[in-house]
Amino acid sequence: MSDTFESNAILNKLPKHLKQFIKPQNYDDYSAIDQAVWRYVMRKNVDFLTTVAHKSYLEGLKQTGISIDHIPNMYGMNRILKEIGWAAVAVDGFIPPNAFMEFQAYNVLVIASDIRQLEHIEYTPAPDIIHEGAGHAPIIANPEYAEYLRRFGEIGCKAISSAKDYELYEAVRHLSIIKEAPNSTEEDIVQAEQKVEDLQQNMGAPSEMALIRNLHWWTVEYGLIGTPENPKIYGAGLLSSIGESAWCMTDDVKKLPYTIDAAFKDFDITKPQPQLYVTPDFAHLSLVLEEFANTMALRRGGLSGIKKLIDSKALGTIELSTGLQISGVFTKVIEDNGKPIYVQTTGESALAYREKELVGHDIKNHSKGFGSPIGKLKGINLAIEDMSPRDLAAYNIYEEKKVTLEFEGGIIVSGEIITGKRNLQGKIILISFRDCTVTHGNTTLFKPEWGIYDMAIGKEVVSAFSGPADLNSFNLITHIPSTQTIHVKKSERRLELEGLYQQVRAYREGINRTISRTKVLEQLMERHPNDWLLPVELYELAFKGNEKNLMERILNHLKTIKQNKPEFGKLIDDGLEIIEKPLVTG
């Protein structure tokens, strides 16, 4: 991966399956129009946010090295972010929720490196560098919040999804891409919106991932802090949206105290939010997160945890009371009196202990799946894992002995014991049999001709979570998004407009002071009469130089644009207002 991104000590710790999502930022691909969009949004945001954002935001802008005038080069940002123990990587739009959160667990900020079009300057449903770089990055300079973000990632990446969650993720990703693409038709957008809406209406009971994603949305993305009567902004979606940061402060948006109830409040990524949640402080976020984690299969295990994994139809793990971990795609559970008595995976599976694969129990050894009873032996109070060597010998659970073990619930395992494996505490965690038959009533679960039978030991399932126990057990380099961010070929007219923006940028930065701004204005008026942002940039330069005649010509032109395109009126007025008052940055 070294040829695609500049690594560092933090990024070196990322597992391979996360590195597959990283792409080069390709800084030279940003046009002068993109730079002007960044500059406008940042100037307007910082001007407004000085009064409504949490104090950590402006402090964080300085600490993370984010410039108001230039789109950040994230690998330049990394040299500064490392001071607070974080790093940043570029990705292509939305990535799967588990991966997004797992990056956070490694103290890595995921930044969608594309930037919104000028036409969507106030809000875009697609993740972009304004949202990620100007929204997420500054606030992580606050240590309490940064730890919340890391912990959220650690817990969130273990949340179990439903089979429909990934379908919805792909549909939302597709919608966000075509809404931002300049060549999308209204019909395409309507169809994509309809698909998202249809899926949202038919999701069934929300999965753990759906619920924790809601918590992420109402805190990390759209969170307020303080009191409902006097809140400040800290959520990245608000910090990076010049439309919503002002809108959210009005009485039209309901302000609710932040509690675990927010997990059950869905959101619509394509529309402004009608209500927001206010946390009293960043520490409270962590309390609610822990409260939610206590409801997850990660901590509760049991029959419901196994059923969640079966519903997910995806790679997951259960951990038994001995610490033995079974990873695979779970397809079956036999239950008795509300307890799991037998579990089964299908396809490649692996066994681990404390997140480290057991020697001899990789996906080659268990290529067709893994099944095992769970629980205590019938009529024996002492669980196998709690038996001493003497106890095991008394019950004939001993090497080279033929034995029939009947478990509570009716699972019967009959065969010759080959050997066993123990954990660090000396508890037996696995027993291997030859010539083994496993039955439940009239159903045969394992036959002698299938080979060696490995029986997991554990009286209960203490944890169930998404993904493998040992990341190295499975090939996780499989990510191929169904849709790629759309980059259309630019027209000659667009390239001509970019050239005018580049001239003004070069003049402002002192690269070329021979450029005639009057001539640029004339070309703009003749060839691109409805472009509003470059005249605002020209006005700023004329204002700084106190060039009255040029200022007047530009203002007259902007007045014409406002008459022809009333929807640009507020953007123009806001831009002029920022120019005519000093910018506050701290």
Side-chain angles (χ1 to χ4, degrees):
M1 301 298 294
S2 59
D3 58 338
T4 63
F5 69 95
E6 182 186 318
S7 198
N8 59 36
I10 293 169
L11 298 181
N12 287 341
K13 292 176 183 174
L14 286 174
K16 287 179 184 175
H17 74 276
L18 289 183
K19 290 181 181 179
Q20 71 184 305
F21 296 103
I22 302 174
K23 67 163 202 165
Q25 186 183 15
N26 297 330
Y27 195 87
D28 291 343
D29 288 353
Y30 297 121
S31 70
I33 296 178
D34 295 332
Q35 294 284 1
V37 166
W38 169 273
R39 192 165 179 269
Y40 178 91
V41 174
M42 287 301 292
R43 285 164 65 83
K44 187 173 183 331
N45 267 13
V46 172
D47 176 68
F48 178 69
L49 292 171
T50 48
T51 57
V52 297
H54 188 264
K55 62 181 182 180
S56 297
Y57 176 72
L58 292 173
E59 292 168 5
L61 277 178
K62 293 175 185 173
Q63 271 186 270
T64 50
I66 293 171
S67 162
I68 287 170
D69 287 319
H70 305 90
I71 295 171
N73 181 321
M74 66 188 65
Y75 304 112
M77 270 174 62
N78 271 331
R79 287 190 280 277
I80 300 169
L81 281 173
K82 71 178 182 183
E83 300 299 323
I84 55 174
W86 280 70
V89 294
V91 298
D92 183 35
F94 283 113
I95 64 172
N98 289 83
F100 179 86
M101 292 189 192
E102 196 175 353
F103 271 109
Q104 283 181 198
Y106 283 91
N107 279 21
V108 174
L109 197 61
V110 171
I111 294 183
S113 56
D114 285 330
I115 187 164
R116 66 195 65 179
Q117 295 179 77
L118 174 55
E119 292 76 14
H120 301 154
I121 196 165
E122 287 197 282
Y123 173 78
T124 173
D128 77 334
I129 196 162
I130 292 177
H131 171 81
E132 314 284 7
H136 285 296
I139 208 79
I140 63 168
N142 180 293
E144 184 78 49
Y145 180 76
E147 174 54 20
Y148 166 70
L149 205 60
R150 186 203 66 77
R151 184 74 174 138
F152 199 108
E154 195 171 49
I155 292 169
C157 72
K158 300 293 188 186
I160 301 170
S161 300
S162 71
K164 287 190 175 181
D165 282 337
Y166 196 80
E167 199 180 345
L168 179 62
Y169 151 72
E170 288 285 10
V172 168
R173 176 182 163 85
H174 176 65
L175 173 60
S176 73
I177 288 171
I178 65 166
K179 269 200 154 187
E180 188 59 28
N183 62 340
S184 298
T185 66
E186 192 60 38
E187 186 184 352
D188 289 339
I189 293 171
V190 168
Q191 280 182 355
E193 285 178 333
Q194 190 60 52
K195 183 168 185 183
V196 169
E197 195 173 324
D198 290 346
L199 283 168
Q200 285 177 329
Q201 298 301 319
N202 296 285
M203 292 298 286
S207 67
E208 287 181 351
M209 178 53 77
L211 295 176
I212 203 166
R213 206 166 55 228
N214 285 347
L215 290 184
H216 195 271
W217 183 264
W218 298 123
T219 61
V220 175
E221 297 294 353
Y222 278 82
L224 298 174
I225 188 167
T227 65
E229 297 74 34
N230 184 29
K232 298 287 186 186
I233 296 171
Y234 74 90
L238 298 173
L239 292 171
S240 60
S241 168
I242 54 182
E244 284 211 84
S245 57
W247 161 251
C248 78
M249 285 291 136
T250 68
D251 291 338
D252 293 325
V253 179
K254 212 184 293 181
K255 316 294 191 304
L256 304 169
Y258 179 61
T259 68
I260 197 171
D261 293 343
F264 299 93
K265 187 66 182 175
D266 292 332
F267 57 88
D268 183 342
I269 196 166
T270 65
K271 297 185 178 80
Q273 310 308 314
Q275 80 288 304
L276 295 172
Y277 292 88
V278 188
T279 183
D281 48 46
F282 289 138
H284 180 71
L285 298 178
S286 296
L287 293 177
V288 173
L289 176 61
E290 291 301 322
E291 187 181 353
F292 180 80
N294 286 335
T295 70
M296 291 171 62
L298 176 67
R299 293 185 181 173
R300 297 178 75 122
L303 179 63
S304 65
I306 300 169
K307 285 183 172 179
K308 286 177 182 178
L309 285 176
I310 292 171
D311 289 343
S312 77
K313 298 180 182 175
L315 177 60
T317 298
I318 64 168
E319 182 173 328
L320 305 181
S321 45
T322 52
L324 182 73
Q325 296 163 315
I326 304 166
S327 298
V329 177
F330 287 81
T331 51
K332 181 179 179 181
V333 62
I334 301 173
E335 57 183 286
D336 182 68
N337 290 325
K339 290 181 179 180
I341 58 170
Y342 196 89
V343 290
Q344 179 70 52
T345 66
T346 299
E348 293 180 341
S349 304
L351 306 183
Y353 177 72
R354 291 189 173 175
E355 286 72 51
K356 187 176 180 184
E357 184 179 276
L358 292 181
V359 174
H361 293 280
D362 59 16
I363 59 174
K364 288 180 184 173
N365 293 85
H366 301 290
S367 61
K368 295 181 180 176
F370 182 86
S372 179
I374 294 165
K376 292 181 178 179
L377 295 173
K378 187 175 180 182
I380 301 174
N381 228 1
L382 196 62
I384 293 176
E385 66 207 67
D386 297 325
M387 291 181 180
S388 67
R390 188 172 291 173
D391 294 324
L392 291 167
Y395 290 110
N396 238 17
I397 303 172
Y398 208 76
E399 281 81 353
E400 299 184 354
K401 295 281 187 182
K402 289 187 177 179
V403 67
T404 295
L405 304 174
E406 183 175 357
F407 287 79
E408 292 176 345
I411 301 292
I412 297 173
V413 178
S414 186
E416 181 186 338
I417 295 176
I418 304 170
T419 187
K421 283 188 185 290
R422 297 179 184 274
N423 66 15
L424 293 174
Q425 285 73 40
K427 289 187 175 184
I428 194 154
I429 60 173
L430 192 73
I431 298 175
S432 298
F433 295 81
R434 68 166 62 94
D435 296 327
C436 187
T437 302
V438 183
T439 58
H440 179 246
N442 296 323
T443 304
T444 300
L445 301 169
F446 192 89
K447 297 177 181 179
E449 57 264 34
W450 293 354
I452 302 298
Y453 181 68
D454 297 300
M455 184 178 80
I457 303 298
K459 56 191 170 191
E460 60 185 335
V461 175
V462 297
S463 181
F465 54 88
S466 174
D470 185 335
L471 295 173
N472 297 312
S473 291
F474 294 81
N475 174 23
L476 302 176
I477 316 295
T478 57
H479 176 68
I480 306 171
S482 60
T483 47
Q484 300 287 335
T485 304
I486 298 166
H487 298 280
V488 297
K489 190 176 179 186
K490 294 173 182 177
S491 66
E492 281 188 30
R493 191 177 181 81
R494 180 71 175 191
L495 291 170
E496 178 187 79
L497 180 61
E498 284 184 4
L500 295 175
Y501 270 84
Q502 185 57 50
Q503 287 184 58
V504 173
R505 184 171 180 80
Y507 184 92
R508 188 179 62 250
E509 295 187 345
I511 296 167
N512 186 351
R513 285 296 170 97
T514 65
I515 290 162
S516 167
R517 287 163 294 134
T518 303
K519 192 174 177 183
V520 170
L521 178 64
E522 287 168 357
Q523 289 176 292
L524 199 62
M525 290 165 71
E526 181 188 341
R527 300 278 296 148
H528 308 277
N530 290 325
D531 181 84
W532 63 270
L533 182 53
L534 191 53
V536 169
E537 293 234 314
L538 284 166
Y539 181 79
E540 180 189 357
L541 293 171
F543 180 83
K544 283 182 177 173
N546 198 26
E547 299 166 84
K548 302 283 189 190
N549 291 339
L550 185 54
M551 286 165 62
E552 191 175 342
R553 283 192 70 184
I554 297 168
L555 288 175
N556 286 335
H557 176 53
L558 287 169
K559 193 174 179 183
T560 304
I561 294 174
K562 282 159 67 172
Q563 286 169 348
N564 294 336
K565 294 280 185 180
E567 64 268 30
F568 296 155
K570 187 170 188 317
L571 291 165
I572 291 168
D573 290 343
D574 288 349
L576 296 176
E577 185 187 335
I578 294 166
I579 290 164
E580 290 167 1
K581 71 177 181 181
L583 189 66
V584 181
T585 58

